[in-house]
Amino acid sequence: MTSTEATVKRSKRLSPIWIIPILALSIGVWIVFKTFQEQGPTVTIEFESASGLEAEKTKIKFRSVDVGVVESVRLSKTYDKVIIRARIDRSARDLLTQDADVWVVKPRVGIQGISGISTLLSGNYIAISPGIEAPGKRFFVGLEDPPLTPADTPGTRVTLISSDGNSLSAGDPVLYRNHTVGKVERANFNINERLFEYMLFIEAPYNDLLTSTSRFWNVSGISISTSSEGISLEAGTLESILMGGVTFGIPEKMGTGFPVEDGEEFNLYPDYDAINEMPYLHSSEYVLLFHSSIRGLAVGAPVQYRGIDMGNVVGISFDYVPDPQETTIGDVPIPVKIRIDPARMGFPDTQDSLAELHSRMENRVGEGLRATLSTGNIITGELYVSLDFFPNEDAATIDKLGDYYIFPTVSSGFSQIQKQITNILNTVESLPIEETVVSANAAIAELEKALVAAQETMNSVTQFIGKEETQGLPAEINQTLEELRKTVESFSSDSDFQRTTIDTLKEIEEVADGIESMLKTLKAKPNALIFSGNQEEDPIPGKKRND
C-alpha cells in the first residue's frame, strides 16, 4: 500500500476574515481622532473655595450658553486653594483670552443690588468673560466677585491714587457733570507705597472726555461751605450721596490736554476746590533742614514765593535724611519735604520741565534764594514755607543727600530778630565802654570846674554892680552922650563949621585947577618957566620981518 504525504502550502493573500477587525479598528481610531479633534481644550482655574461646584455637573457659561463643564475639583498641594479642571468646547476656545475674567455665579446681595437669583434652582456655575487680547490662555485665577465691567466693553481704565482709604469702594459710580459714565471696579491698598489705589473704568464714548489735564475729586455725600457770599451747598446724584462716587473735570485756567491711554494714573482730590489749589501732575521734591522749632507747620501747608503759591509741604520725617544721629548732638535738623510745581512758574506740566526747574532753582540759590518758616496766622500759630532772597547770607548750593535734594534754608523771622539782637549786643560789648566812661568822667569834672568859674564870675559881676561907683556910671554915660550929640550937631548943614569947610574946599579946588593948567603949559612948552610971555619967531634969512 502506497502512502501519500500531504503538502501544506502557505497562502500569500490576507484572509478576508481580517477585514472585519481591521475595519473595526479603523473606525475606532477615527472615532477617537474625531472625538479628540472636536474636543475643546482643558483649563485650570484656581479659586479660594469650591462653594457650590461639583465635578461633571457644574457648567461653564458665556452669556448664559454652556461652553464647558467642570471635570474635577481638588485641593492644591498647599491646601489653601481649590483647583478646578474644566473642559471647554472647541467652538469656545477663542474665549480663553489672556485678559479673560472667570468667576462663580451665585446668589449675591450687596450695595449693587441682588444678583444670581436663577442659580437658586439651577445651581452655581462658572462664568467667563473674554477680553481683547490674544486667545490661548490655559490657567486662570478666579475672581471672588464678578467684574463690574465686562473685559470686552469699550472704554478706558485709569488708576486713582489717594491717601484716604474711606472715600471709594468697588461699584461706586464715576460721574461727569452728574451723569454716570463709568464705575469704580476695584479698590486696594498698596502696602509698599502706603497708598490706596482705585481702578476706574470709563465707558466709550465718554472716555473721550478724559484728557491729560483732567482731575478727579470725591463727590460722596453733601458738601456745605460758608463764605462772605453766603452758604454754598454741593451734592452729586442720589446714588453718589447714598453710595459714594467720584467725578472728573478740568481745573480752571488749564487747557484741554491730550487723550490718555489705559493704565494712566491720576491723583484723587478731596473736593473741587482742591483741584484748583493743586492741579498739576508733575512736581519737584526738595528737603529742607530747619534748625529751629517747626511747631505749627503741617503737611499740606503752602510753599510761597513772596505770597505766590509755588507748591506745598508733603511730609515731615527723619526718614528723608540718612543717619540723622551722625549730626552734631544738640543741633539735629528737622527734615521737611516740599514739592514745587513747575507749571506754577510758567513751565509746561510735563516730565521734561522738572530738569529745567531744578536748573533754574540752582541759579537762584546762587543769587541768594533761601527757604524759611513764616507765620501764616498769628492766632493759630500756623506756619508756611516762604521762598525769598537773602543776599547777605553765605553762599550755598543745592546738594543731594540720599534720595533727595537739600534746599538751603535760613532761620525764621523770630530767629532773625534774635540774631540781629545778638549782633547788636556783640557790637555793644566790643565798644570801649570803660575808656568812654573815664573820658566822660573827666569831661564832667572839667565841666564842673567851668561851672564853678562861671559862678564865681557871676558873683564878681553882682558885686561890681552893687558898688556906688558902678551905680553912678549911668549919669556919667548920659553926660558923655549929651556932649557927643552936641558935637554931631556942630556938623549940621547950617553950622559955621560946615560953611568954613565948604569955603576951604572951594579954594582947594581953585588951586587944583591952576596946577592942572600949569602942568598942561609945561607939557606943551617946557621952557615956559624961563621965557615968560610970547616969544618971537626965529628969523629966516632973506625974508623980511614984516613979510
Side-chain angles (χ1 to χ4, degrees):
M1 182 175 177
T2 302
S3 61
T4 303
E5 294 182 359
T7 301
V8 179
K9 295 181 178 181
R10 294 184 179 274
S11 177
K12 296 181 180 181
R13 295 183 301 174
L14 183 62
S15 175
I17 194 64
W18 290 101
I19 296 176
I20 296 176
I22 291 174
L23 182 60
L25 180 60
S26 300
I27 293 173
V29 172
W30 182 82
I31 293 174
V32 171
F33 175 77
K34 186 67 173 177
T35 302
F36 179 79
Q37 185 181 20
E38 293 181 352
Q39 192 176 35
T42 300
V43 297
T44 303
I45 307 173
E46 182 182 277
F47 285 107
E48 294 291 334
S49 66
S51 176
L53 303 181
E54 298 182 25
E56 304 298 337
K57 290 184 178 181
T58 301
K59 303 295 182 180
I60 298 178
K61 297 184 178 184
F62 173 68
R63 298 184 184 275
S64 300
V65 177
D66 294 345
V67 295
V69 64
V70 174
E71 291 186 342
S72 65
V73 180
R74 62 179 179 86
L75 293 173
S76 63
K77 293 181 179 180
T78 55
Y79 305 107
D80 59 342
K81 303 291 182 182
V82 174
I83 306 301
I84 305 296
R85 183 178 177 85
R87 177 74 63 178
I88 303 298
D89 295 345
R90 184 173 179 273
S91 60
R93 59 185 178 181
D94 290 340
L95 299 176
L96 305 176
T97 60
Q98 300 297 325
D99 56 346
D101 293 325
V102 179
W103 69 96
V104 177
V105 178
K106 55 185 178 181
R108 301 175 187 272
V109 179
I111 60 176
Q112 310 302 323
I114 301 175
S115 61
I117 298 298
S118 60
T119 59
L120 293 175
L121 300 176
S122 62
N124 298 349
Y125 64 88
I126 297 175
I128 184 171
S129 175
I132 58 176
E133 297 183 6
K137 191 174 183 179
R138 296 295 181 265
F139 178 80
F140 297 89
V141 177
L143 303 176
E144 294 303 311
D145 297 312
L148 299 175
T149 305
D152 58 347
T153 303
T156 303
R157 285 182 170 83
V158 296
T159 302
L160 300 186
I161 306 298
S162 174
S163 58
D164 186 2
N166 299 321
S167 55
L168 296 175
S169 59
D172 290 348
V174 178
L175 307 175
Y176 182 81
R177 297 184 179 179
N178 288 334
H179 180 71
T180 302
V181 297
K183 287 187 178 296
V184 179
E185 292 186 327
R186 187 172 65 252
N188 64 284
F189 180 68
N190 188 324
I191 298 178
N192 297 328
E193 299 293 336
R194 299 181 180 181
L195 295 172
F196 288 88
E197 299 177 346
Y198 304 99
M199 179 71 73
L200 273 62
F201 180 78
I202 302 175
E203 302 176 0
Y206 306 112
N207 58 336
D208 293 338
L209 300 172
L210 184 63
T211 66
S212 58
T213 57
S214 297
R215 300 293 182 266
F216 291 81
W217 67 93
N218 200 319
V219 291
S220 301
I222 300 175
S223 176
I224 301 177
S225 60
T226 59
S227 64
S228 59
E229 298 179 356
I231 300 176
S232 175
L233 175 64
E234 295 182 5
T237 62
L238 180 61
E239 182 181 10
S240 65
I241 294 175
L242 298 177
M243 301 167 47
V246 62
T247 186
F248 66 95
I250 299 177
E252 300 175 359
K253 300 180 182 180
M254 292 191 69
T256 56
F258 50 84
V260 299
E261 299 179 354
D262 278 351
E264 191 75 20
E265 289 187 355
F266 292 88
N267 293 325
L268 177 61
Y269 296 89
D271 49 43
Y272 177 74
D273 293 335
I275 72 169
N276 292 310
E277 295 175 0
M278 300 177 292
Y280 306 105
L281 295 177
H282 300 89
S283 60
S284 295
E285 292 185 343
Y286 296 93
V287 170
L288 312 177
L289 299 179
F290 289 109
H291 294 269
S292 58
S293 175
I294 62 170
R295 182 180 178 85
L297 184 67
V299 174
V303 176
Q304 295 183 347
Y305 171 73
R306 296 181 178 178
I308 300 176
D309 287 337
M310 306 297 294
N312 62 294
V313 177
V314 296
I316 302 173
S317 174
F318 285 106
D319 295 337
Y320 303 140
V321 179
D323 301 328
Q325 293 80 7
E326 296 182 0
T327 314
T328 304
I329 297 177
D331 191 23
V332 179
I334 308 299
V336 176
K337 184 167 70 172
I338 65 172
R339 58 179 293 175
I340 299 178
D341 304 318
R344 296 182 186 271
M345 303 176 64
F347 296 101
D349 192 16
T350 60
Q351 187 71 23
D352 297 337
S353 298
L354 300 181
E356 181 67 21
L357 172 66
H358 184 72
S359 176
R360 183 77 62 86
M361 285 296 181
E362 286 183 329
N363 295 335
R364 296 297 179 265
V365 166
E367 298 172 359
L369 184 65
R370 300 291 187 271
T372 185
L373 292 177
S374 298
T375 302
N377 191 314
I378 299 178
I379 298 176
T380 62
E382 294 180 356
L383 300 178
Y384 69 94
V385 177
S386 175
L387 301 180
D388 209 335
F389 285 92
F390 296 85
N392 296 328
E393 292 292 325
D394 297 335
T397 58
I398 299 179
D399 300 322
K400 191 169 186 179
L401 183 61
D403 296 332
Y404 300 100
Y405 287 100
I406 306 301
F407 198 95
T409 63
V410 296
S411 301
S412 61
F414 289 109
S415 298
Q416 289 281 348
I417 296 174
Q418 183 178 3
K419 182 178 179 181
Q420 293 177 359
I421 294 175
T422 302
N423 293 336
I424 293 173
L425 293 177
N426 292 334
T427 303
V428 172
E429 185 179 1
S430 63
L431 293 175
I433 297 177
E434 185 174 356
E435 294 82 353
T436 303
V437 171
V438 172
S439 300
N441 290 334
I444 293 173
E446 295 295 332
L447 180 61
E448 289 179 350
K449 293 179 180 179
L451 291 175
V452 171
Q455 184 65 36
E456 292 177 351
T457 302
M458 292 297 297
N459 294 334
S460 300
V461 171
T462 303
Q463 293 176 359
F464 176 78
I465 294 173
K467 292 180 178 181
E468 296 180 356
E469 298 82 357
T470 305
Q471 293 178 355
L473 285 176
E476 296 179 359
I477 293 173
N478 291 334
Q479 183 179 358
T480 302
L481 291 175
E482 180 64 24
E483 294 177 354
L484 179 62
R485 183 182 61 79
K486 292 180 179 179
T487 302
V488 172
E489 288 178 351
S490 66
F491 289 96
S492 62
S493 58
D494 55 349
S495 63
D496 295 337
F497 175 81
Q498 186 173 0
R499 287 192 299 270
T500 302
T501 301
I502 293 173
D503 293 339
T504 302
L505 290 175
K506 286 181 179 181
E507 292 176 357
I508 293 173
E509 184 178 359
E510 291 175 357
V511 172
D513 291 340
I515 294 173
E516 183 180 1
S517 177
M518 181 185 65
L519 290 175
K520 289 181 179 180
T521 302
L522 290 176
K523 183 177 181 182
K525 295 179 180 183
N527 58 355
L529 293 176
I530 299 174
F531 301 100
S532 60
N534 295 329
Q535 297 295 326
E536 296 182 357
E537 295 180 0
D538 292 336
I540 298 174
K543 186 179 180 181
K544 293 180 177 181
R545 197 175 282 274
N546 297 326
D547 288 344

